[in-house]
Amino acid sequence: MKKTLAVLILSVQVISAQNIAQKLDKATKDLMDSSGAVSSGLSFYVTDDNGTFIYEYEGNKGLSTASTQKIFTAGAALETLGKNYTYKTTAGYSGTLSAGILNGDFVISSNGDPTLGSWRYDAYKPENFKNKLIEALKKSGITKISGNLVIDDSYFDHQTIPGGWPWDDLGNYYGAGVWGINWRENQFDINIAGTEFKGFSYPLENVKWLNDLKAGGSSDQSLIFTAPYSDVALINGTLPAGKTVTVSGSVPNPPLQLGTEVKQWLKESGVEVSGNVMTVSQLEMEGKQVPGAAKNIILTYQSPTLDKIIYWFLRKSVNMYGETLIKTLGKEKKGNSSFKSGVAYLKEFWKSKGINPNMINFADGSGLSPQNYVAAKAEVQALLYAKKQPWFDAYYDGFPTQDNGMKMKSGTMRDTKSFAGYHTAKDGKKYVFSIIINNYQGSGGAELQKILNVLK
């Protein structure tokens, strides 16, 4: 009797899976037969939560992913670094301290903390770091600094932007680069009324603006163009007339920005700085001597733990976090913080978990590069691997719950739309899926949602 019941249950499950596959196949072919898909590429793969195959449409095809690329970076970081990993920023000095006068440089350094000064964490906002730094200075007895205020941004190499990122993206908040010292997520906001600047979220250091904005349209169609270490920024495109819009950009030189703000903090608290604000990269560019590491540390400031960083990395798709993690993985595992090194480690990591390396042609850690080519099957394999790991709860928590009720990461950029994640259907069945479309003539999002609605 038990054997008969088991066979019956198995038969029902097989029939159910076949029905789902048939419905998915119809919805998928309806999409690919539509006029907007005449030149499109689609990669789609579905299993149940045990990894049992349900359906695929060219699941091995490598396509540009956009932000679903982040599922690979997040998983590798959680396993390699550990969910309790923290970044550290230190403040200290070289030289001698006598009667409150520091005869030497005051130095702030970091190992690339992407959250320093972030607004996302209640206990880690800019004022928190400011208060801790001023408190440490008072305890040290320093009242005057005869040397320079040095921001040591040398922990990572000098390349702050992955080579495959489009020029259109670099000046905008989602194209922020990665330095050895990051500040406020390397982002600033401008309030603009029509075409006129009304104010910045904070005074932006050493940037001159060219404003080619035009008033028109009903939405923000502006772009900011600037580059790492540049002192010039251009903004163009259109903004709605008759209303104030907030436009977010990427800071060209975050270490210098932090140093300028710190010098002002010191002045306000009565600490005089005789020298200048200098970054290590600036000293190198000018051929000047680079000071050694601070020998007397007065403050060690730790970031939130990695699980909290991963939460925001996935939930709000913070590209700068992904590229920081890539540099960190390269530095920690290969002794080389280049993007090339970090991306190579990312590919080696997932290859070691059984994913065909030809299906994971990574170019960065965030998915912003159109040179990323990944297959839907590889994304599903990564999601299934993560589900079995002790760090899965931290990983899963970061996946947004979309309007259709699915727990999934989405990705969007020009001519690319993707979804990858986990879903429990109304009948209790659990699915793991990835779907990627390139070059669809239209948004693509609504069309992919129709397919995923079959799983509901």
Side-chain angles (χ1 to χ4, degrees):
M1 181 65 180
K2 289 182 179 180
K3 183 176 180 180
T4 302
L5 181 60
V7 171
L8 179 61
I9 292 172
L10 180 60
S11 299
V12 170
Q13 291 173 337
V14 169
I15 292 170
S16 176
Q18 289 174 341
N19 288 339
I20 289 291
Q22 289 171 356
K23 291 178 181 178
L24 288 172
D25 190 56
K26 182 181 184 307
T28 301
K29 288 179 177 176
D30 285 347
L31 168 62
M32 297 309 289
D33 288 340
S34 67
S35 60
V38 65
S39 296
S40 296
L42 178 72
S43 186
F44 184 25
Y45 202 84
V46 185
T47 71
D48 67 16
D49 66 337
N50 292 315
T52 302
F53 173 77
I54 300 290
Y55 178 76
E56 73 169 314
Y57 182 93
E58 298 195 0
N60 290 344
K61 175 179 280 190
L63 295 175
S64 185
T65 59
S67 282
T68 55
Q69 163 84 356
K70 291 179 172 68
I71 68 174
F72 295 101
T73 306
L78 282 167
E79 181 155 321
T80 302
L81 303 173
K83 67 178 184 179
N84 294 318
Y85 179 90
T86 58
Y87 290 88
K88 295 178 178 63
T89 300
T90 61
Y93 61 89
S94 57
T96 60
L97 179 61
S98 177
I101 299 174
L102 170 58
N103 294 298
D105 296 325
F106 190 74
V107 182
I108 298 176
S109 62
S110 179
N111 62 343
D113 180 3
T115 71
L116 187 65
S118 171
W119 61 93
R120 300 183 197 276
Y121 312 85
D122 288 341
Y124 297 88
K125 298 180 187 296
E127 55 268 26
N128 182 270
F129 179 67
K130 172 184 176 179
N131 293 338
K132 292 286 180 65
L133 181 61
I134 297 303
E135 181 184 356
L137 270 166
K138 288 180 178 178
K139 287 183 178 179
S140 73
I142 296 174
T143 58
K144 181 178 180 180
I145 299 170
S146 64
N148 294 318
L149 173 56
V150 178
I151 308 300
D152 182 1
D153 55 351
S154 64
Y155 185 77
F156 293 146
D157 66 353
H158 292 109
Q159 186 178 350
T160 66
I161 300 288
W165 281 14
W167 169 238
D168 280 11
D169 292 337
L170 302 193
N172 303 284
Y173 73 95
Y174 52 85
V178 177
W179 276 256
I181 283 195
N182 303 294
W183 179 238
R184 300 180 187 262
E185 295 190 5
N186 304 341
Q187 175 181 326
F188 65 89
D189 302 326
I190 322 172
N191 291 323
I192 305 175
T195 63
E196 183 182 354
F197 286 15
K198 290 298 184 180
F200 288 77
S201 49
Y202 54 88
L204 194 60
E205 174 62 20
N206 197 37
V207 177
K208 299 180 286 290
W209 284 87
L210 292 169
N211 185 348
D212 286 344
L213 282 170
K214 305 294 182 184
S218 58
S219 64
D220 178 1
Q221 296 297 318
S222 65
L223 282 175
I224 298 173
F225 295 86
T226 189
Y229 306 107
S230 175
D231 60 357
V232 177
L234 162 69
I235 185 169
N236 64 18
T238 61
L239 289 175
K243 62 185 294 188
T244 299
V245 176
T246 299
V247 176
S248 299
S250 62
V251 180
N253 197 333
L256 181 62
Q257 178 67 39
L258 172 61
T260 302
E261 293 188 39
V262 169
K263 187 174 182 179
Q264 181 61 31
W265 300 346
L266 299 184
K267 180 180 179 181
E268 292 170 357
S269 63
V271 177
E272 178 186 348
V273 180
S274 300
N276 300 314
V277 174
M278 305 293 293
T279 67
V280 166
S281 56
Q282 181 182 352
L283 290 169
E284 291 175 343
M285 284 187 279
E286 295 177 0
K288 295 179 180 179
Q289 182 177 357
V290 175
K295 295 181 180 179
N296 303 281
I297 303 299
I298 65 170
L299 174 66
T300 298
Y301 188 87
Q302 289 188 302
S303 74
T305 52
L306 184 63
D307 56 347
K308 295 180 176 62
I309 296 173
I310 293 296
Y311 173 87
W312 287 113
F313 172 49
L314 293 174
R315 184 61 61 96
K316 291 299 182 180
S317 215
V318 187
N319 293 330
M320 174 259 197
Y321 282 12
E323 305 317 325
T324 304
L325 291 170
I326 283 294
K327 281 188 169 289
T328 301
L329 290 170
K331 183 91 170 182
E332 294 268 352
K333 301 304 294 184
K334 290 179 169 290
N336 183 339
S337 65
S338 70
F339 289 110
K340 183 177 180 180
S341 178
V343 167
Y345 175 77
L346 186 66
K347 186 166 185 174
E348 290 167 9
F349 176 89
W350 287 108
K351 179 183 176 182
S352 74
K353 309 308 176 189
I355 295 179
N356 186 327
N358 293 324
M359 294 197 299
I360 44 173
N361 188 12
F362 301 137
D364 65 15
S366 65
L368 186 58
S369 173
Q371 296 177 11
N372 289 297
Y373 292 100
V374 174
K377 181 178 180 179
E379 292 198 333
V380 169
Q381 288 176 312
L383 294 170
L384 288 168
Y385 175 80
K387 196 171 182 297
K388 300 175 183 177
Q389 307 313 310
W391 41 262
F392 178 69
D393 286 349
Y395 184 75
Y396 183 76
D397 194 35
F399 281 69
T401 301
Q402 304 289 347
D403 292 341
N404 61 6
M406 292 181 168
K407 190 81 166 170
M408 64 184 181
K409 185 78 191 76
S410 64
T412 304
M413 61 186 186
R414 182 178 178 180
D415 298 327
T416 293
K417 188 69 183 178
S418 60
F419 298 115
Y422 307 90
H423 180 59
T424 301
K426 292 178 180 178
D427 62 3
K429 292 184 174 63
K430 295 182 178 181
Y431 300 98
V432 182
F433 62 89
S434 167
I435 185 167
I436 309 165
I437 195 166
N438 286 184
N439 200 36
Y440 183 83
Q441 300 308 298
S443 69
E447 288 73 16
L448 298 189
Q449 290 278 13
K450 292 176 184 176
I451 296 175
L452 294 182
N453 283 343
V454 175
L455 298 180
K456 298 179 68 178

